[in-house]
Amino acid sequence: MTNRLKRRYSQAFLMNDGRKSQVVLFDESRLDIIIQPKLYASELLDLVASHCQLKEKLYFGLGFMDETHNFVWLQGEKRVLDHELAKKAELLVFYLAIKFYVDTIRLLRDVQTMELFYLNARRLVYQGHLQCDTDTVLKLAAIVLQATHGDFASEQKTKDGLKKLPLIPTYTLQEHPSIEYCEQNVISQYGKLSGTSRGQAIVNYMSIIERQKTYGIHYFDVKDKKSMPWWLGLSPSGLAVYDKADKTSPRKIFKWNAVENVYYRDKRFSIEVRGYKRFGGTMLGNDELYLRNVKESLVCRDDVLVYARYRTVEVSNIEVHTYFTSTEQLTKCIWSMAIDQHRFHLDCRRSLNHHSTAGSISEIATRLSKSTTSLPESLDSGLTHSCSSHSFTSLSGSTYGLTVEKSDSLRAERDMYRALKARRDVLQESLQKKTEELKLLCVKEAELTGKLPDDLPLCPGEPPPVVRRRVGTAFCLSVKNVQDADQLSNDLSKLELEVELQDKITAAASQLASDRSVAKFVRKQRKQSYVRALEK
């Protein structure tokens, strides 16, 4: 399938009715997408991955910022609009982010994925989510300049590059009295990197990032039972609890092999951790059930050497650690994230023995150096690619041409099938609503006319509805009295018109009172109305 066909399909799918949204990519560019009511989060991720030409989609996910400014991940098996999104917002904003991290980019196979990991690390460093010391931040900024602009040219161009690229976080600037100090430090280190290729610079950047303590951890704002604030960190290695002011040194660590269960209820998230208690003592009887270690020794008791055998018993116990969040949606997001991270941990451990790396560091650097610096073309009006004020490195590799490989074609066809299926469900739901409205109108018409219309929509085998014709109470006045009503000259003509009108009302009330198809109390009320009309 060619890229042109993909664009036509995306445009036809995205221009239908739904909620307007934007997906923010790693380079801050945005995709304008119309979210259909029955579109699942996994299908939305497939659509974004198809546009960005991602081959290793399993590492990525989509999320949004909730009303409490917490990042919430979209659940793949859930419809997008079923999440607790901002109901009054005219535009929904989602973010493409990395959900599962690897220890090194050597475990990644596609150059596209490596570049996205690099762009994600740059964004996290600038936003302060990935904390580094000042020297490391300035060194990373110099490496980014080398990867983006090549060798050092002049101080003025370097300063202009620092102003255009968001590289130095706010907390680093606050630690120093002036911006000039940071600029001069970056310029000094930038000049030492001359001759480093773009690919090698990216590899060097990621090598530093992967050694940081906060890399690969997703932090969530929680509180304990005493309302003390903490950070709860989730990663493929396990869960950890951090002080609110320090994300680098965990207070508690729960490895996945020690976690028995995780569950949530309302705003409470609980972790069941398996622990051990050790007891020592003399072995008595034949109790071998809890025996783990037996030691033999000579013990001096009352100046007598006694031969004794000691054992160490390990009794497992379950410890429950409970934390609270601000919203139930965030609690469910933490629980789902923990389940996914544990599953990813198990999958990585199973495939560790036969997992092939992308090659040596030099080979990866060469492949990254050959990648292009342009994003995929935008999809006309249906899928708009709006560039931001900052210029970033590329998302697409040079290996992608006008045609894609067979596996990519199959993946694109599968994405198209899912999208068209979702669109079909939307149209069927709309058709069903219109059919029900038409059937209701036909029944009302039958109640007035006593006959069902021929265009009454019925399902195959469905019997026609039984309708009860309403009692006819319509009447008309004589033409003479109505014409003379405009030119009434005396009280007698007025009285004649009132008498005739009251006579018609009485006749209509009599018909309603004689209707036996209504309830008894209704007939009684109608009979009383008829008597009042007759007396009048």
Side-chain angles (χ1 to χ4, degrees):
M1 180 183 298
T2 61
N3 291 341
R4 182 179 301 175
L5 183 57
K6 285 187 190 178
R7 296 168 191 164
R8 290 180 180 176
Y9 137 69
S10 299
Q11 181 178 358
F13 173 68
L14 297 173
M15 289 182 66
N16 293 297
D17 295 335
R19 292 196 65 177
K20 295 181 179 180
S21 67
Q22 286 185 343
V23 179
V24 182
L25 303 180
F26 290 98
D27 63 343
E28 299 301 327
S29 62
R30 296 171 180 257
L31 301 180
D32 292 335
I33 299 179
I34 304 299
I35 303 298
Q36 302 296 329
K38 288 194 174 183
L39 182 67
Y40 284 86
S42 59
E43 296 172 343
L44 178 60
L45 180 60
D46 291 340
L47 189 63
V48 176
S50 177
H51 171 75
C52 296
Q53 300 178 351
L54 291 179
K55 291 184 177 180
E56 296 177 295
K57 188 184 61 177
L58 71 158
Y59 300 107
F60 302 91
L62 293 171
F64 63 95
M65 302 298 294
D66 63 2
E67 296 179 352
T68 58
H69 303 288
N70 289 308
F71 188 82
V72 179
W73 292 92
L74 294 180
Q75 308 301 320
E77 70 283 356
K78 191 175 180 181
R79 290 187 177 94
V80 177
L81 299 184
D82 288 346
H83 294 78
E84 295 183 13
L85 306 171
K87 297 181 179 179
K88 297 182 179 180
E90 297 181 358
L91 183 67
L92 302 177
V93 180
F94 302 100
Y95 298 88
L96 178 65
I98 294 178
K99 193 172 185 179
F100 305 107
Y101 288 87
V102 292
D103 295 335
T104 173
I105 60 172
R106 292 187 60 192
L107 298 176
L108 305 175
R109 300 179 181 179
D110 186 38
V111 178
Q112 177 89 352
T113 310
M114 298 178 188
E115 289 204 10
L116 291 183
F117 268 72
Y118 163 67
L119 290 178
N120 176 72
R122 281 176 47 183
R123 183 171 67 180
L124 294 180
V125 170
Y126 176 71
Q127 294 175 351
H129 299 311
L130 204 164
Q131 296 181 356
C132 308
D133 57 83
T134 301
D135 296 337
T136 303
V137 169
L138 300 180
K139 184 178 181 179
L140 292 174
I143 296 176
V144 172
L145 291 175
Q146 179 68 25
T148 306
H149 302 293
D151 294 341
F152 174 79
S154 64
E155 291 190 5
Q156 187 60 39
K157 290 185 178 181
T158 304
K159 292 181 180 179
D160 294 340
L162 286 174
K163 294 178 181 179
K164 294 179 181 180
L165 293 175
L167 299 177
I168 303 177
T170 305
Y171 70 87
T172 301
L173 297 176
Q174 293 175 350
E175 293 178 358
H176 300 282
S178 64
I179 301 178
E180 287 75 11
Y181 171 82
C182 297
E183 290 180 346
Q184 293 298 327
N185 195 313
V186 172
I187 291 173
S188 176
Q189 298 194 49
Y190 181 24
K192 300 177 182 179
L193 299 176
S194 297
T196 305
S197 64
R198 176 178 178 272
Q200 188 62 46
I202 294 177
V203 170
N204 295 341
Y205 188 94
M206 293 304 301
S207 298
I208 298 175
I209 288 295
E210 290 163 358
R211 293 195 298 267
Q212 304 305 311
K213 294 182 179 180
T214 57
Y215 177 71
I217 301 177
H218 299 277
Y219 294 94
F220 296 92
D221 192 1
V222 298
K223 293 182 179 180
D224 58 12
K225 296 180 180 180
K226 299 181 181 179
S227 298
M228 288 289 294
W230 300 89
W231 287 113
L232 180 62
L234 276 72
S235 67
S237 60
L239 301 95
V241 181
Y242 301 81
D243 288 331
K244 198 63 178 179
D246 184 12
K247 290 183 178 181
T248 58
S249 302
R251 285 292 189 94
K252 298 178 182 179
I253 300 177
F254 310 119
K255 296 293 184 180
W256 288 124
N257 55 4
V259 176
E260 284 288 328
N261 190 19
V262 291
Y263 55 91
Y264 76 99
R265 183 177 182 181
D266 297 332
K267 300 179 182 180
R268 180 175 60 187
F269 176 73
S270 301
I271 309 170
E272 290 186 355
V273 184
R274 182 173 62 253
Y276 293 99
K277 290 184 179 180
R278 297 176 179 270
F279 302 93
T282 305
M283 181 184 301
L284 300 175
N286 296 322
D287 186 6
E288 301 283 347
L289 183 60
Y290 298 106
L291 178 61
R292 293 294 182 273
N293 188 20
V294 178
K295 296 181 180 179
E296 298 180 357
S297 61
L298 292 176
V299 182
C300 182
R301 294 179 181 175
D302 298 330
D303 298 330
V304 178
L305 289 176
V306 179
Y307 176 76
R309 301 179 68 193
Y310 287 84
R311 69 185 177 106
T312 300
V313 180
E314 294 183 1
V315 181
S316 62
N317 66 306
I318 300 298
E319 298 177 357
V320 180
H321 302 266
T322 303
Y323 300 94
F324 299 87
T325 63
S326 56
T327 62
E328 182 179 355
Q329 179 176 232
L330 180 60
T331 310
K332 186 175 181 180
C333 174
I334 296 175
W335 172 81
S336 178
M337 187 67 170
I339 298 298
D340 293 340
Q341 293 290 337
H342 180 248
R343 186 182 298 112
F344 183 77
H345 163 74
L346 295 178
D347 294 340
C348 290
R349 189 172 63 179
R350 293 191 191 102
S351 60
L352 184 62
N353 295 331
H354 53 81
H355 193 286
S356 59
T357 60
S360 62
I361 296 297
S362 59
E363 293 176 354
I364 295 176
T366 303
R367 293 169 60 189
L368 287 170
S369 299
K370 292 180 180 179
S371 61
T372 60
T373 57
S374 61
L375 286 166
E377 296 180 5
S378 59
L379 300 179
D380 300 334
S381 60
L383 188 59
T384 306
H385 177 192
S386 56
C387 297
S388 63
S389 59
H390 305 297
S391 61
F392 285 73
T393 50
S394 68
L395 288 181
S396 63
S398 60
T399 58
Y400 301 105
L402 295 177
T403 59
V404 294
E405 298 176 357
K406 184 177 180 180
S407 59
D408 296 338
S409 300
L410 295 176
R411 187 181 299 109
E413 291 177 0
R414 185 167 57 252
D415 296 342
M416 178 186 292
Y417 170 75
R418 292 178 180 175
L420 293 178
K421 183 179 179 181
R423 179 57 183 163
R424 183 200 63 182
D425 295 340
V426 173
L427 293 177
Q428 287 180 348
E429 183 180 2
S430 178
L431 177 61
Q432 184 178 0
K433 290 182 179 179
K434 298 297 181 183
T435 303
E436 294 296 333
E437 293 178 1
L438 177 59
K439 184 183 295 185
L440 182 61
L441 291 176
C442 291
V443 172
K444 291 182 178 180
E445 180 183 347
E447 291 177 352
L448 296 175
T449 62
K451 180 182 178 182
L452 289 171
D454 298 334
D455 55 351
L456 174 65
L458 295 174
C459 297
E462 180 184 1
V466 179
V467 297
R468 179 178 58 83
R469 182 179 178 180
R470 297 181 181 178
V471 177
T473 57
F475 58 85
C476 59
L477 299 174
S478 62
V479 180
K480 177 178 179 301
N481 288 334
V482 175
Q483 291 177 350
D484 294 343
D486 297 334
Q487 300 176 355
L488 292 177
S489 57
N490 49 45
D491 296 337
L492 180 61
S493 298
K494 293 182 181 180
L495 185 59
E496 289 178 353
L497 180 60
E498 291 180 2
V499 170
E500 182 180 2
L501 178 61
Q502 186 62 34
D503 182 57
K504 299 293 184 181
I505 294 175
T506 304
S510 176
Q511 293 181 13
L512 290 175
S514 60
D515 184 13
R516 297 289 180 178
S517 61
V518 296
K520 185 176 180 180
F521 74 94
V522 177
R523 293 201 304 271
K524 184 177 180 180
Q525 292 177 353
R526 290 180 177 181
K527 188 174 182 179
Q528 294 175 355
S529 299
Y530 165 69
V531 173
R532 288 194 297 268
L534 183 61
E535 291 176 353
K536 187 175 181 180

